[in-house]
Amino acid sequence: VHTGVYGTWGVNKNQMFIVAKDNGFDLVISSDVSQAQSLGIKVLYPINLTKEVAQDEAKFKAFANNVATIAKEHKNNNTVFGWYLADEPDWNNIPPARYKQLNELLKSVDSSKPSLGVFTLPDKWRNYLPYFDIIGIDPYLPNTQTGKETDKVIDWIDKISGDLKTMELNKPVWVVLGAFEQPPKNKSNPAFRK
């Protein structure tokens, strides 16, 4: 079981890795394999296919060749847990067939590492589900505190579980939760910043 943090961006990327590690995270999305390895944490290596590349055959072929090179480079590196193959391709209208091609390419190089896709549109994600080993859902939560935030998460888990069952796909589901800073209710608190 892994506990991951979505990103390690910030003013000081190396410090962000340390913050992740110090807070109990053992999996991050990053291409900085050496930094993760030095801290004893694993990475989901981001692939970052764009719609522009997906729609252009020559660009996609060059992109796929680069993906194969990266996969070969990290084939025997246990710090690379898997491939972060897609971030909301349903939102970005990237053709599902491109992920089928990329997933097959990655498996041909290294069948031991899973691919992950994260989805945000319940009415569109079914088209993508066969082409990923791990299914992530990204139920953006409101930047408010209503007490109902978990309802959306539960609904989405039910929806993705039902879709996977209907499609006869036995795949793990990961939930990506947004953690937005909440302003303090007491604005006289010294921690309050505009």
Side-chain angles (χ1 to χ4, degrees):
V1 175
H2 293 282
T3 304
V5 63
Y6 185 80
T8 52
W9 53 82
V11 175
N12 182 327
K13 183 173 65 167
N14 292 337
Q15 185 63 32
M16 296 305 292
F17 270 98
I18 293 167
V19 168
K21 171 79 173 178
D22 288 350
N23 284 282
F25 296 103
D26 65 345
L27 182 65
V28 297
I29 295 173
S30 178
S31 58
D32 192 341
V33 177
S34 61
Q35 176 68 9
Q37 190 168 14
S38 72
L39 293 170
I41 57 180
K42 295 189 179 290
V43 299
L44 277 163
Y45 198 103
I47 301 298
N48 299 324
L49 176 64
T50 65
K51 186 175 182 180
E52 175 192 356
V53 170
Q55 292 177 335
D56 183 291
E57 199 60 45
K59 288 180 182 179
F60 182 76
K61 185 176 180 180
F63 182 85
N65 287 338
N66 186 53
V67 168
T69 300
I70 291 167
K72 288 173 189 169
E73 178 184 344
H74 297 293
K75 180 178 181 175
N76 297 313
N77 189 334
N78 291 332
T79 298
V80 177
F81 172 83
W83 310 108
Y84 187 36
L85 193 51
D87 181 46
E88 301 176 354
D90 47 346
W91 178 269
N92 294 302
N93 292 313
I94 298 174
R98 290 302 194 191
Y99 292 105
K100 179 178 190 276
Q101 291 173 281
L102 289 174
N103 198 33
E104 288 172 353
L105 171 66
L106 288 166
K107 294 297 181 210
S108 73
V109 174
D110 180 5
S111 62
S112 70
K113 292 178 177 53
S115 63
L116 168 70
V118 175
F119 306 96
T120 194
L121 296 175
D123 59 329
K124 287 188 175 183
W125 65 35
R126 284 179 64 104
N127 297 329
Y128 297 88
L129 300 181
Y131 310 124
F132 299 89
D133 301 312
I134 300 170
I135 306 301
I137 55 173
D138 196 356
Y140 285 99
L141 301 178
N143 206 4
T144 59
Q145 296 173 338
T146 65
K148 300 245 181 222
E149 289 81 9
T150 56
D151 292 349
K152 183 177 185 181
V153 177
I154 292 166
D155 289 345
W156 280 38
I157 291 171
D158 289 345
K159 169 79 170 123
I160 196 73
S161 298
D163 287 345
L164 289 168
K165 184 175 182 180
T166 299
M167 297 173 73
E168 298 181 359
L169 298 172
N170 185 18
K171 299 183 180 204
V173 174
W174 292 6
V175 179
V176 179
L177 294 174
F180 300 103
E181 181 179 351
Q182 298 293 328
K185 291 182 180 186
N186 178 0
K187 293 185 179 188
S188 65
N189 182 323
F192 179 75
R193 294 184 296 270
K194 290 185 179 181

